[in-house]
Amino acid sequence: MTALVRMRLIAFAGSGRVVAPAILSLAVLGVLYGGGSSLAAPVYGYSATIFFPVLAWLVKLLLDTEPDVQRRLARIAVGPRRESLAGLLAATLAGLLLCAFAMAAPLLVGAIRGPEPGTTEPPLLTGILLGALAHLLALAAALALGALSSRVVAGTLSKGLMILVGGAILVIILGLSRSIAPWLVPPVMATARALNADTLPDAARVALLTAWTAAWCLITLTAYARLRTRRA
Amino acid sequence: MRFEDVWFRYARRADWTLSAVDVAIRPGETVVVLGRNGAGKSTLLQLAAGVLSSVRGRVTDRPDVVGWVPERFPADQPFTAEQYLRRMADIRGGSGVDEWFERLKFAEHRHTRLADLSKGTAQKVGVVQALLLRPGLLVLDEPWEGLDAVARELIPDIVAEVTAAGGAVLVSDHRGEIARLPEAIRWTVADNTVRPGDPEPDDGATDGATGGGSGGGSGGGEVIIEIAARRSDADRTMAELRDSGHRVLGVRTEHQR
């Protein structure tokens, strides 16, 4: 299966489809880190939220790179389960790379500062670790949304885009602090709010956000796997 | 491998493409699937290969290793022919890429990008990827389409090798190339189902022809005779053949045999 993951990543990079999300990411980074510096947690909280739709799009692009017939050839070669798992793994690896890039950029351009001496501001490492978690949670949610919007599941490009864009908008609207049904969507916005609060989230809050994302992804990816048993 | 009352349709509210299919193919057998364009040959082949799954009924005893040669090779991929085949060999755990380049005589296209290959050469890549592991079931969807003379002659040999090793082969054919596989069993796809035997004359008798060996006993039985004519006589020869009531199925030039 690693051979299939590798083939898909190389095809994605080689097909040039990787260029569009890369340029968008650079633009986003330019807007985010145009000037000034702040603590790591709020910076990464914003970053994870803004990169969530970019990551979901990246996942969809990667899963859609392979022609339908080639995907079916892969399905025959490794079996249906490993074929769809290989797609998710390849998308996860590409997403991790983008997350690493998104996290390294503010450190490199000096947009993140350490705590002021004599204040109760949290140490730099805590902020970075929380930021990494926020990006991982965003990536997990993006993986699930991107997979559901992929061509093999959605059928047509327009339906796929509708799922992708509609899903991303719902994540934002239902994720607002006065939302009536925040549980319907992954806690991308809730995570950003937790990292922007005056006091950093405690372990219980972090565990809740993680479990919430995990539950949402489990349900969505199970639906994806079930749809994929019929849709090759 | 056995189709047990298999029904298939492409969408929930669509008409059945195939219904009540109940046929079996045993190891070592070759089955040629005949039928008009759009009758459901490709669908049947994809159900056999495991690309599609039946809506009702099931396909049982499918061998572990299946080779599928799709009707059109997906050339829109950023690999050269060799890169692609090596990656597919890695994925399948197969080997022998170099020998296949030699055997199908397209070693000069090793480093050509898939998208730049001619249709026939891309089809060769499609054939090779299905044979990187010796298949227990080889499914060939119109394998002769676009292939040059050398490769067309090789298909029967490849089929014979697979069946000799205990594999089963399922081939679809609407060009009447079946004469190249005289031992094959025939299935006909018509009226949304599959039955053993040649098409009836009313089935539209396939686009090409129904193959040889039946001695004309079933009324619509025809044999394919390949003839060679001088280039300058080609038009006249075709006209004469048509006048004598024969159907001309195709004309090709052969640079080498």
Side-chain angles (χ1 to χ4, degrees):
Chain A
M1 193 168 69
T2 42
L4 181 56
V5 172
R6 206 178 312 134
M7 181 174 185
R8 286 178 168 173
L9 283 171
I10 291 171
F12 181 55
S15 71
R17 281 170 209 241
V18 69
V19 174
I23 289 177
L24 178 64
S25 301
L26 285 174
V28 166
L29 290 172
V31 172
L32 277 177
Y33 307 123
S37 65
S38 355
L39 289 168
V43 166
Y44 285 138
Y46 281 124
S47 166
T49 313
I50 291 180
F51 272 100
F52 164 72
V54 183
L55 286 164
W57 185 40
L58 181 80
V59 169
K60 174 174 164 57
L61 281 175
L62 192 142
L63 293 178
D64 287 355
T65 297
E66 204 171 44
D68 292 342
V69 174
Q70 179 58 34
R71 187 178 55 244
R72 291 171 194 150
L73 286 171
R75 192 175 161 99
I76 287 177
V78 301
R81 269 197 209 140
R82 282 191 287 176
E83 182 271 306
S84 53
L85 192 59
L88 294 178
L89 267 178
T92 305
L93 288 175
L96 281 174
L97 201 68
L98 179 55
C99 286
F101 185 57
M103 286 199 62
L107 287 172
L108 293 176
V109 301
I112 287 178
R113 61 171 176 85
E116 298 275 356
T119 61
T120 55
E121 285 176 348
L124 180 64
L125 187 64
T126 312
I128 291 179
L129 288 177
L130 279 171
L133 180 71
H135 281 84
L136 288 180
L137 295 183
L139 173 58
L143 182 71
L145 178 61
L148 276 189
S149 69
S150 64
R151 187 176 64 237
V152 59
V153 171
T156 60
L157 181 69
S158 56
K159 268 192 218 161
L161 284 178
M162 224 155 67
I163 295 172
L164 182 71
V165 175
I169 291 174
L170 280 179
V171 166
I172 293 170
I173 293 180
L174 291 178
L176 293 173
S177 55
R178 272 173 293 171
S179 160
I180 44 164
W183 295 99
L184 281 178
V185 292
V188 175
M189 299 285 282
T191 308
R193 274 197 302 278
L195 266 63
N196 269 289
D198 292 336
T199 53
L200 285 185
D202 55 13
R205 181 90 191 137
V206 168
L208 174 74
L209 291 169
T210 308
W212 180 353
T213 306
W216 194 86
C217 290
L218 191 70
I219 293 168
T220 317
L221 288 174
T222 307
Y224 173 74
R226 289 191 67 111
L227 288 168
R228 281 304 315 274
T229 57
R230 291 236 139 265
R231 298 177 202 193
Chain B
M1 192 189 64
R2 173 159 210 106
F3 285 76
E4 290 178 1
D5 191 30
V6 168
W7 294 60
F8 183 84
R9 59 185 165 194
Y10 279 93
R12 202 169 288 247
R13 259 164 286 173
D15 294 331
W16 292 104
T17 307
L18 289 173
S19 56
V21 177
D22 224 358
V23 284
I25 175 169
R26 279 182 288 277
E29 283 184 349
T30 305
V31 169
V32 175
V33 181
L34 302 164
R36 271 189 303 218
N37 276 345
K41 296 194 294 289
S42 242
T43 306
L44 180 77
L45 262 53
Q46 292 185 53
L47 283 165
V51 174
L52 299 173
S53 16
S54 58
V55 176
R56 283 189 212 159
R58 57 196 186 127
V59 178
T60 54
D61 300 332
R62 183 185 292 118
D64 290 335
V65 180
V66 176
W68 174 49
V69 180
E71 197 173 357
R72 267 181 231 103
F73 177 75
D76 179 21
Q77 300 183 67
F79 299 109
T80 65
E82 181 172 2
Q83 284 168 343
Y84 173 80
L85 287 173
R86 292 213 183 283
R87 296 208 173 280
M88 287 305 277
D90 280 351
I91 289 170
R92 300 214 76 157
S95 60
V97 172
D98 294 311
E99 290 95 271
W100 282 112
F101 271 116
E102 296 306 324
R103 209 171 155 198
L104 288 182
K105 308 239 181 314
F106 67 122
E108 71 273 23
H109 292 298
R110 264 170 189 273
H111 305 298
T112 310
R113 295 179 69 84
L114 293 178
D116 297 333
L117 291 175
S118 71
K119 191 184 170 204
T121 314
Q123 186 72 347
K124 289 183 186 179
V125 178
V127 170
V128 173
Q129 63 77 29
L131 296 163
L132 294 168
L133 267 189
R134 190 173 283 290
L137 171 71
L138 177 63
V139 177
L140 298 153
D141 203 344
E142 304 288 350
W144 289 284
E145 208 66 43
L147 285 184
D148 57 28
V150 179
R152 266 207 309 271
E153 298 296 332
L154 263 172
I155 297 275
D157 294 349
I158 291 169
V159 168
E161 281 165 29
V162 172
T163 50
V169 181
L170 204 56
V171 194
S172 75
D173 176 30
H174 80 269
R175 293 183 58 205
E177 295 272 0
I178 188 191
R180 294 175 192 274
L181 298 171
E183 305 291 313
I185 300 161
R186 293 101 191 274
W187 291 353
T188 298
V189 185
D191 305 324
N192 301 330
T193 191
V194 182
R195 55 179 170 70
D198 278 332
E200 283 159 20
D202 329 345
D203 285 345
T206 77
D207 287 353
T210 67
S214 61
S218 64
E222 291 180 335
V223 291
I224 309 286
I225 301 170
E226 293 191 300
I227 60 161
R230 263 189 296 278
R231 191 178 287 269
S232 52
D233 293 341
D235 288 343
R236 189 169 54 79
T237 310
M238 280 204 299
E240 283 172 6
L241 286 168
R242 285 212 179 90
D243 289 346
S244 5
H246 304 302
R247 298 189 298 134
V248 177
L249 298 174
V251 178
R252 63 173 187 263
T253 54
E254 297 195 358
H255 303 293
Q256 52 181 31
R257 273 195 89 122

